[in-house]
Each structure stands twice: as structure tokens, then as C-alpha cells.
Amino acid sequence: MHLEEFAEGNSIFHKLDPRVKFISLMPYIFIIAVMKGLNGPIVALFISIIMIFITRIDLKKIISRLFVVNIFIVLLWVFIPFSYPGAVIFSLGPLDATREGLLFVLSMTLKANAIVLATIAILGTSEVFTLAHALVHLKVPLKLIYLFFFFYRYISVMHEEYSRLKKAIAVRAFKPKTNIHTYKTYAYLVGMLIVKSFDRSQRIYNAMLCRGFKGKFPIVSHFSLSDKDVFFGLLMFIITILIILISVSN
């Protein structure tokens, strides 16, 4: 399981200062999340798609990420049009689908995809250690940064442990069914995963102590702003303002 596969590349997004990335992305996705109507989300999605093309990331990987996100959004399409007040467009038995409900869930779909694509293009093109380093410079509390860093860094390790345990029960001819045996087997698997996680965390902590860890990671290298970083920050600021104006005029 490789969580930094988008960080490997040579586009302009891969070379930007991570501090500028954070400062530029946060207002952008916040505005997208709170905007109403369709014009703003459509423009935001279009801009996010352009960002993805600039990063030159494998589109198959992007589509697989979007597929996972949109599985949850499909559930919104099932429920919201029939529970949102407004003008009825069609009926399924006693349930009435409204025009306002369909527009609302369409807006949510556009916004969710725009935010995911922008986040992949801007933050996904940096390594997690670099992002954590940038958060230190942005004065984010260290405990939050370490929590983010260790979670991101070791989620792949946990996934490897889970895969190994799953293979172990598979070679014992286990086949999941809807019965008590299956529930018990998965409960044991989760229990073993927790035990192994605790054991692994103790070993990692001891290894860190051996390397002189005293609650802080020493930072040797530092960032330096370039003209490209400043230009990108200004461009994202203008784009964010433009999206606000389009959304307000809707």
C-alpha cells in the first residue's frame, strides 16, 4: 500500500513550496464547500480538473480515487431528492422527487469532486514528511502534526499487517459467510490487529528514543520562497475570489 504515489512527479505542483500549498488550498476548498447553486461548483470542478492535467498524474489512479468518493455520493442521490422540499418532478410510488433536491445533490456532487481533485493536485503532490514540515512552519500545534504524521506514515504498515492476517486465515480455508463463525473470526482478526499495533508502536517508540527523540523532531533544512510560489499563491487567491463572485451572482 503506497500512500504517496502522487508525490512522485516533476510537474510545477510537485516543486511548489508546501507552505504556499496549504495557504492557497484551505480558502479554496472552504469556499467551494459553502457555496450554493451550480455555477460556482461547475467552475471549481473545471479548475480542479485543469490542475490534475497540469500535474500529469496517471488518470486511472485519479478515477479510482473518485470512484471511491462517489460511491458515498450515490447514497445521497438515493435519499435527498425524495426528502428535499420543492417542486415535484417525478414520483416513485408514494415518494416524490423534487427539482430542488436534485439540484442540491448535484451541487454536492460537483463540490465533492472539485475538492478531492484540488486536494490531490496540490497536497497529494508533496511527500507527507514535507507537508508535516510545512505545518510546523505554519505554527500548527506540534501534537496535531505528529498525530497526522504518524497516522499517515504508519497506516500502510497497519494495512500490511491486516493483509498478512487475512492471508493467514485464507490458507486455513476460511470463507466468509453470514454466520457466527465468520463474525468470531473477524473479531479475532481485529483483536490481533490491535495487539500487533500496540506491539509495533512500542518498538517504534523505543527506536525513536534510541535516536535521541525528546518530544520534537529536529528540523535541519528549511523552505525558501521562489517567484513561482508567490505567483501560484496570487493565482489561487484570484481564482478563489473569482469563484466567490460567480457563486454570489448565481
Side-chain angles (χ1 to χ4, degrees):
M1 187 177 182
H2 184 26
L3 296 176
E4 296 180 315
E5 55 186 341
F6 298 136
E8 299 167 354
N10 195 33
S11 71
I12 186 172
F13 280 90
H14 291 86
K15 300 174 183 175
L16 288 172
D17 189 319
R19 296 172 299 175
V20 176
K21 288 185 172 186
F22 272 115
I23 295 173
S24 304
L25 179 65
M26 292 303 117
Y28 179 71
I29 61 176
F30 176 77
I31 293 301
I32 294 175
V34 299
M35 66 174 52
K36 298 179 180 178
L38 290 178
N39 292 344
I42 289 173
V43 174
L45 180 61
F46 179 70
I47 293 171
S48 297
I49 290 173
I50 292 176
M51 291 182 190
I52 289 294
F53 277 106
I54 293 175
T55 59
R56 299 196 294 271
I57 295 173
D58 187 356
L59 291 181
K60 290 183 180 178
K61 295 178 180 176
I62 296 295
I63 292 172
S64 67
R65 297 292 192 280
L66 290 180
F67 177 75
V68 175
V69 172
N70 284 282
I71 286 177
F72 296 98
I73 295 177
V74 167
L75 297 175
L76 301 180
W77 280 92
V78 174
F79 294 106
I80 290 182
F82 298 99
S83 59
Y84 204 92
V88 177
I89 294 181
F90 65 90
S91 300
L92 291 176
L95 302 175
D96 296 327
T98 62
R99 176 179 177 277
E100 287 75 7
L102 289 171
L103 292 178
F104 181 71
V105 74
L106 177 60
S107 174
M108 291 182 67
T109 305
L110 295 172
K111 290 193 289 185
N113 284 279
I115 290 174
V116 170
L117 291 176
T119 304
I120 291 175
I122 296 177
L123 292 188
T125 49
S126 292
E127 295 179 352
V128 63
F129 184 78
T130 309
L131 294 177
H133 185 181
L135 290 174
V136 173
H137 284 280
L138 294 174
K139 305 301 180 186
V140 176
L142 288 177
K143 288 183 179 179
L144 288 179
I145 297 173
Y146 293 158
L147 185 66
F148 157 74
F149 175 71
F150 285 119
F151 173 78
Y152 198 100
R153 175 68 181 80
Y154 289 102
I155 190 67
S156 58
V157 176
M158 296 305 303
H159 185 265
E160 289 173 7
E161 289 284 357
Y162 169 75
S163 300
R164 211 148 49 85
L165 291 170
K166 199 173 178 181
K167 288 178 182 175
I169 61 175
V171 296
R172 290 171 172 78
F174 169 75
K175 291 184 179 179
K177 297 179 182 176
T178 309
N179 54 33
I180 296 297
H181 175 68
T182 299
Y183 300 148
K184 283 185 176 180
T185 303
Y186 277 113
Y188 292 145
L189 189 149
V190 173
M192 284 302 298
L193 195 61
I194 293 173
V195 172
K196 284 182 175 291
S197 303
F198 179 76
D199 182 59
R200 189 68 174 257
S201 68
Q202 290 295 313
R203 281 189 284 150
I204 291 171
Y205 181 65
N206 290 332
M208 290 166 60
L209 291 179
C210 290
R211 288 170 173 79
F213 179 74
K214 295 180 180 179
K216 290 184 179 179
F217 286 115
I219 297 176
V220 179
S221 61
H222 295 280
F223 300 113
S224 60
L225 281 177
S226 66
D227 293 340
K228 292 180 181 178
D229 298 318
V230 176
F231 175 76
F232 176 76
L234 290 174
L235 182 62
M236 286 299 296
F237 176 75
I238 294 172
I239 289 174
T240 305
I241 296 296
L242 178 65
I243 292 176
I244 294 174
L245 294 177
I246 292 173
S247 180
V248 170
S249 64
N250 186 19

